[in-house]
Amino acid sequence: MVRFLSLFVILFWIVGVKAQQKVEVVDERTQSPIAFAHVMIQWEKGDQNIKHFVTNEKGIIEISIPKKSLIHISYIGYKTWVDSIIPAKNTTIKLSPDIFNLETFVVTAHCQAQKVDQSVYEIKVISNKDIELRGANNLTDLLNQELNMRISNDQSLGSSVSLQGLSGEHVKILIDGVEVIGRKNGQIDLSQINLQDVDHIEVIEGPMSVVYGSNALAGVINLITKKNNAASLSAQASGYYESVGQYNADGSVTLRKGKHFFGANLGRNFFDGYTLNPELRSMNWKPKRQVNAGLDYSFQNNKNLLNLSADLFDEKLQSKGNLQAPYYETAFDQYFYTTRSTIKSDYFYSFNSELKLNIMAAYSNYFWRKNTYFKDLTTLEEVLAQSADGQDTVNTNSFLSRGMINRESTERKLNFQAGYDINVETALGKRIQGTEQQIGDYAGFINLKYTPIKTLTLQPGLRYAYNTQYQAPLVYSLNLHYNTKTTTLRASYAKGFRAPSIKELYLDFHDVNHNIYGNPNLQAENSNNFNFSANRTFSFKEQQIALGASMFYNHIHNIITLAMLPDGSYTYTNLDNYKTQGINVNLKYNFYPRISLNTSYALLGILNSVSSEQQADFRYSSSVSANFEYQFIKAKTTFALFYKYNGKLPQVMLDANDQLVENIVDDYQILDLSISRKFFKNRVKLTLGAKNLFNNTIIPSTNSGTSGVHSGGSEIPVGWGRTWFAQLNYSFNKYK
C-alpha cells in the first residue's frame, strides 16, 4: 500500500510539472527579452476563462492551461501578437517592433477602434511617451512643437491653436469624443486642458463636418484618456517641477472586480506667474491654481460595455494690478474663476464580430466668474470694487448625444457607418443679449465604405442637419484610401459648414479693455476642402525609413471675423473670400532599437479678402520640425531633442474703413531636450529636461495698424523664457 501511494504521488508530481509551461517573449530583431509585457490567455468563451499575466525581467511567464488556448500579447512599441498555444509545451514568441506606430489603434470618427494605417482618415497620433518626454502638462506645452500647428498666446484669453491656417471656432477639441465648451472670443484656452490622465491624442486635419458637424472645418483634436481594464489593481502617481515656478502633482487608481471597473484621478497644478518687468506688480503670465478630478465606472461582458464618468476642472487665476498714484499703496486686483464639469455615459454593444453599436450622451457646464477688488497693500484688506465692469459671470451649458452603428468586415465589399448627432448649447450672462440664448443642432449622417479590391477603399459620406438658427445645407464628403504593406495613399474632398456661435450672434461685452458687439445678421460659413497624402516605408535590416507628403486646399465663404467700427469698438462680420493651402513633407528614420529621427517641413499660404471680386495674393509662412531620440538600452535611458522653426506669419484684419490691414509676426525657433530613465522594474520613471533653450519671450510684430482686440501693441508673447524641469512618475499594475 505504501509503495502504491508513493508511486501515485510521484506520478502526480510528474504530471503537475508537465502541466506547467514557460512562455518566453522576445524582440523579433534583437532576440532580447521583453520584460513586463501584458499577456492574456483564454481557453473558452466567458470572462471566467481568462487569465492575465505580466512577463518577468527575463520576458518569461509560467502558466498551466487545461487545453489549447488563445494567447494575446501586447507591449508599447510592438505589434500585438494573437495566436494559440497548446498545453505542456514551452513556447518562445517573437514580437515585431512597431517602428512607425502603424499598429496603433485609433477611435476618432470610428465606431470601433481601427489601426491607424487602415483608417480612411489621415490621423496623427501623439503618444503618451511623447507627452512624458516633452514634459508636457497641458495642450499648449504639447502642440507648441507640432508641425502645421501654430500656438497663439493672449494674456486675457489664454492660448489657442490653428490648423491649416484656421483657428478658433474652426477647430473642434474633444475629450473622449465630447466637445470641450467654454470659448472666449472663439478660443478654447489650451492651458486649461491638462494631460495628467491622457493616454494619447488623435489629430485629424481638414473638415470633419459629416461626423462632428459645426466647428470642425479645420479639423478635430481628440484626447483619449487612460483606461486599464485588464489589471485587477492599477495605481499611478506623478510629480512635476519647472524652474519658472510650476508645481504639479497628480494620481490615479483603477480597480477591477469581475466584470466591474472603478477608477478615480485627482491632480493639482500651481503656477507662480512670470513677468518680464520685475519693477511692475502686474505680470505677463498670471499666477494660477488648477484642480482636476474624475470618477469612472465600467461594466463589461462579452457583448456589452457601459462606461459612466464624471470630470471636474477648477481654476483660479489672479491678475495683480499696478500700484495706484499718488501714494502707491493700493491696487486693483482681479480674480478669474473657471469651472468646467462633464457627466458622460457611453454604451457599446456588439451584435456580432462585424456589427457594433455605440451610443454616447454627455452634459457639460462651463462657469466663469470675474471679481475685482480694491486692495490696500499696507493692511492687505480687500474690498469688492463697485464699478459696473468689475464683476462678471458667464454660464454655458451643453447637451450632446451621438449614436453610431457600424458594420466593419474584411469579408464584405460594402460596409457602413450611420448615426445621429444632437447638440444643444445654452449661454447665460450679462454679456449675452437678453441674458440667455440657445442654439440647437439635430443631425443624421451616414458613411458608406466600399472596398472593390483589398487594397482600395472609397468612402462617401452625407450629413443632414436642422439648426435652430440657420438652415443648414447638406454636408458631404468623399474619401479614398489605398493601402499596401509599404504604401498608403489618401485623397479626400469634404464640404464644411459652421453656424455662428451664440457669442458671435449675441455678445454684448464692454469694459475698460473690451468693446465688442455680436451681430445677429451674420451668415453661416461653408467651405470646400481637398486633401491628398502619400506615405511609403522602406526596411533595410535594422534600418527603416518612412517618407510622407501631403497637400491641402481650403476655400471658405462668409468666414466670420472681428471688424473695427468707426467708434473704435468691434463687431463680428463676414468676409466672403478666405483661402488656405499648403504642403507638408516628412521623413522618419529609425536605426532599431537605438536611433529615431523625425523631420518635417511645412508651407502654409493664406489668402484673405473682403469680397470675391477683390484681388488678393496668398501670403506664405514656413515651418520646420525635427525630433531626435537615442535609446541607451542597458541603462534603460532615453535622450530626446525637439526642435521647431516657426517662419514669419502674416496676419490680416479689418480696420474701421473695411480695409484689410496686415501685420507680420517675426520668425523664431524652439528647442527642448530631455533625458528619461526607468527604475525598479520599470515602475518608476524620472525625466529631466530643459525647455525653450533659445529663451523666447516676446516676438515683435511689424507693419501693423493694430494687432487685435486684446494685445493692442506690436509684440506677441510666446513663452516665459528658458527653464528646466523634473518629472517623476510611478506606476503599479497587479494582474490576477
Side-chain angles (χ1 to χ4, degrees):
M1 188 67 170
V2 173
R3 291 179 179 178
F4 175 78
L5 290 175
S6 300
L7 181 62
F8 177 80
V9 170
I10 292 171
L11 290 173
F12 181 82
W13 180 80
I14 293 173
V15 172
V17 170
K18 287 186 177 180
Q20 289 286 327
Q21 64 187 99
K22 291 183 179 180
V23 176
E24 182 183 16
V25 183
V26 301
D27 187 296
E28 180 185 58
R29 300 191 178 185
T30 64
Q31 307 303 312
S32 57
I34 300 177
F36 314 112
H38 175 239
V39 182
M40 182 189 76
I41 295 177
Q42 182 176 22
W43 54 90
E44 287 181 357
K45 290 185 177 181
D47 295 340
Q48 69 276 11
N49 299 316
I50 296 177
K51 286 189 176 181
H52 298 272
F53 303 88
V54 176
T55 58
N56 61 22
E57 290 183 320
K58 296 181 179 180
I60 295 173
I61 61 170
E62 293 187 357
I63 60 174
S64 175
I65 55 177
K67 58 182 180 179
K68 186 177 180 180
S69 303
L70 178 73
I71 184 169
H72 181 287
I73 304 177
S74 61
Y75 190 72
I76 296 174
Y78 290 86
K79 298 177 182 179
T80 300
W81 172 282
V82 180
D83 207 336
S84 59
I85 57 173
I86 59 176
K89 181 180 180 181
N90 293 337
T91 305
T92 297
I93 296 176
K94 300 178 181 180
L95 295 190
S96 177
D98 182 18
I99 302 298
F100 298 124
N101 298 320
L102 297 180
E103 295 287 310
T104 301
F105 283 86
V106 292
V107 297
T108 304
H110 299 95
C111 185
Q112 53 186 329
Q114 287 193 351
K115 292 182 181 178
V116 66
D117 65 325
Q118 295 177 355
S119 172
V120 299
Y121 306 107
E122 181 80 25
I123 301 180
K124 181 176 185 178
V125 178
I126 306 174
S127 68
N128 185 258
K129 178 185 175 182
D130 296 326
I131 296 173
E132 291 183 353
L133 284 176
R134 298 181 190 185
N137 297 285
N138 53 57
L139 267 188
T140 302
D141 293 343
L142 187 65
L143 301 184
N144 202 34
Q145 287 279 6
E146 291 299 314
L147 193 74
N148 214 26
M149 296 186 188
R150 192 81 177 227
I151 299 297
S152 300
N153 294 281
D154 188 291
Q155 296 178 2
S156 299
L157 304 178
S159 56
S160 61
V161 64
S162 66
L163 284 175
Q164 294 190 348
L166 299 167
S167 61
E169 298 277 0
H170 302 101
V171 181
K172 202 153 198 167
I173 299 177
L174 313 171
I175 298 179
D176 288 330
V178 178
E179 183 176 7
V180 178
I181 65 171
R183 295 178 182 269
K184 290 190 278 186
N185 195 28
Q187 311 284 4
I188 294 291
D189 184 358
L190 303 183
S191 67
Q192 293 183 344
I193 303 179
N194 291 281
L195 305 178
Q196 67 183 52
D197 197 42
V198 172
D199 178 75
H200 67 278
I201 296 172
E202 299 173 5
V203 181
I204 304 180
E205 297 184 28
M208 290 298 297
S209 299
V210 168
V211 178
Y212 291 108
S214 190
N215 299 102
L217 283 180
V220 170
I221 300 173
N222 192 9
L223 287 76
I224 311 300
T225 57
K226 297 175 182 176
K227 298 174 181 64
N228 189 353
N229 291 347
S232 58
L233 176 64
S234 175
Q236 295 182 344
S238 68
Y240 177 89
Y241 168 77
E242 189 171 346
S243 57
V244 71
Q246 193 162 344
Y247 313 86
N248 302 340
D250 61 78
S252 65
V253 61
T254 62
L255 177 67
R256 177 171 61 89
K257 286 291 185 181
K259 300 176 182 179
H260 304 273
F261 306 86
F262 305 88
N265 65 81
L266 179 66
R268 184 182 187 275
N269 299 339
F270 180 81
F271 175 52
D272 266 338
Y274 179 78
T275 183
L276 296 171
N277 187 354
E279 296 183 359
L280 296 178
R281 188 169 178 268
S282 61
M283 308 184 81
N284 300 88
W285 283 267
K286 317 300 182 188
K288 59 185 174 183
R289 180 269 304 150
Q290 296 177 339
V291 174
N292 294 273
L295 294 172
D296 286 277
Y297 165 77
S298 295
F299 170 83
Q300 184 175 14
N301 59 22
N302 291 334
K303 288 184 173 293
N304 300 274
L305 171 60
L306 173 66
N307 179 261
L308 305 174
S309 63
D311 295 285
L312 174 68
F313 168 82
D314 182 79
E315 178 184 79
K316 176 184 177 182
L317 185 146
Q318 182 183 11
S319 178
K320 298 178 181 180
N322 289 320
L323 299 176
Q324 300 288 305
Y327 301 110
Y328 300 99
E329 296 176 344
T330 60
F332 285 96
D333 285 357
Q334 291 183 325
Y335 295 88
F336 300 90
Y337 302 90
T338 300
T339 302
R340 186 182 283 112
S341 58
T342 300
I343 300 173
K344 177 192 173 189
S345 65
D346 240 335
Y347 175 69
F348 296 86
Y349 181 77
S350 298
F351 295 96
N352 50 51
S353 60
E354 300 178 358
L355 196 61
K356 312 287 184 181
L357 172 70
N358 172 219
I359 297 176
M360 182 263 287
Y363 173 79
S364 301
N365 173 260
Y366 169 83
F367 184 76
W368 177 87
R369 184 176 90 248
K370 177 180 76 172
N371 292 130
T372 304
Y373 291 89
F374 180 74
K375 187 168 186 176
D376 188 329
L377 296 175
T378 60
T379 63
L380 301 182
E381 181 182 2
E382 292 183 332
V383 179
L384 199 66
Q386 300 302 311
S387 58
D389 60 355
Q391 325 303 326
D392 196 5
T393 60
V394 173
N395 192 1
T396 302
N397 302 309
S398 172
F399 172 77
L400 163 68
S401 180
R402 182 181 299 115
M404 288 189 288
I405 186 167
N406 187 87
R407 188 180 74 186
E408 188 74 34
S409 171
T410 56
E411 304 300 322
R412 298 177 184 267
K413 288 190 174 182
L414 183 63
N415 292 292
F416 68 87
Q417 176 195 74
Y420 72 88
D421 195 14
I422 298 174
N423 291 271
V424 180
E425 184 172 344
T426 305
L428 306 93
K430 69 179 185 179
R431 292 186 178 188
I432 304 298
Q433 296 176 22
T435 69
E436 180 177 349
Q437 297 289 341
Q438 185 180 89
I439 290 181
D441 192 86
Y442 309 86
F445 61 90
I446 185 169
N447 285 305
L448 299 177
K449 196 171 182 180
Y450 178 60
T451 308
I453 57 176
K454 188 176 180 180
T455 56
L456 179 64
T457 299
L458 291 82
Q459 179 176 292
L462 183 68
R463 179 188 182 96
Y464 174 76
Y466 168 73
N467 188 285
T468 57
Q469 294 288 342
Y470 287 93
Q471 182 176 356
L474 283 175
V475 177
Y476 41 86
S477 64
L478 177 63
N479 291 77
L480 282 78
H481 179 227
Y482 174 82
N483 186 43
T484 67
K485 290 184 178 180
T486 60
T487 303
T488 302
L489 302 176
R490 292 182 177 91
S492 68
Y493 164 76
K495 185 78 174 178
F497 167 78
R498 185 178 83 83
S501 67
I502 292 178
K503 291 183 179 180
E504 289 169 337
L505 293 168
Y506 304 113
L507 185 66
D508 190 8
F509 182 27
H510 310 282
D511 63 13
V512 175
N513 300 311
H514 308 82
N515 197 13
I516 311 173
Y517 296 90
N519 182 359
N521 298 315
L522 287 173
Q523 300 180 51
E525 298 179 358
N526 64 85
S527 71
N528 295 283
N529 172 274
F530 298 88
N531 273 279
F532 175 79
S533 67
N535 298 278
R536 179 73 185 270
T537 58
F538 304 87
S539 294
F540 312 95
K541 294 183 179 181
E542 293 85 7
Q543 301 182 66
Q544 295 80 34
I545 296 175
L547 298 176
S550 64
M551 58 185 67
F552 67 87
Y553 174 81
N554 285 304
H555 187 182
I556 302 178
H557 299 279
N558 300 321
I559 191 169
I560 299 170
T561 187
L562 275 174
M564 182 187 294
L565 297 175
D567 61 0
S569 63
Y570 289 82
T571 189
Y572 293 97
T573 189
N574 292 105
L575 293 183
D576 183 66
N577 202 26
Y578 187 90
K579 299 178 182 179
T580 67
Q581 62 185 23
I583 59 172
N584 298 288
V585 181
N586 178 260
L587 167 66
K588 296 180 181 179
Y589 171 77
N590 185 281
F591 191 94
Y592 187 80
R594 297 185 181 277
I595 297 174
S596 177
L597 175 66
N598 186 351
T599 61
S600 302
Y601 169 81
L603 182 67
L604 169 67
I606 298 176
L607 183 150
N608 199 345
S609 62
V610 177
S611 66
S612 56
E613 291 80 18
Q614 180 180 351
Q615 295 296 321
D617 297 322
F618 277 95
R619 298 167 174 85
Y620 288 94
S621 175
S622 61
S623 57
V624 177
S625 71
N627 301 333
F628 173 80
E629 290 182 26
Y630 186 86
Q631 304 278 349
F632 298 89
I633 307 300
K634 292 184 178 180
K636 297 181 181 180
T637 300
T638 302
F639 171 80
L641 184 147
F642 305 95
Y643 169 83
K644 186 181 180 185
Y645 166 77
N646 288 310
K648 293 185 177 182
L649 180 68
Q651 295 180 330
V652 293
M653 65 171 295
L654 286 177
D655 64 10
N657 299 315
D658 283 340
Q659 297 296 314
L660 287 172
V661 178
E662 179 185 83
N663 63 294
I664 298 176
V665 180
D666 279 3
D667 58 340
Y668 63 98
Q669 303 176 73
I670 304 171
L671 180 63
D672 301 341
L673 61 84
S674 69
I675 187 167
S676 177
R677 192 184 191 282
K678 295 179 180 179
F679 303 89
F680 307 113
K681 298 181 179 180
N682 289 358
R683 291 181 179 176
V684 176
K685 186 175 183 179
L686 175 65
T687 304
L688 303 174
K691 296 182 179 181
N692 196 1
L693 289 175
F694 292 121
N695 203 31
N696 297 305
T697 53
I698 299 294
I699 301 300
S701 174
T702 58
N703 299 327
S704 59
T706 180
S707 52
V709 180
H710 297 92
S711 52
S714 58
E715 294 184 333
I716 308 297
V718 296
W720 47 54
R722 187 184 300 110
T723 61
W724 68 271
F725 71 90
Q727 182 169 275
L728 188 66
N729 296 303
Y730 170 81
S731 62
F732 170 80
N733 294 291
K734 179 182 179 183
Y735 299 90
K736 287 186 178 179

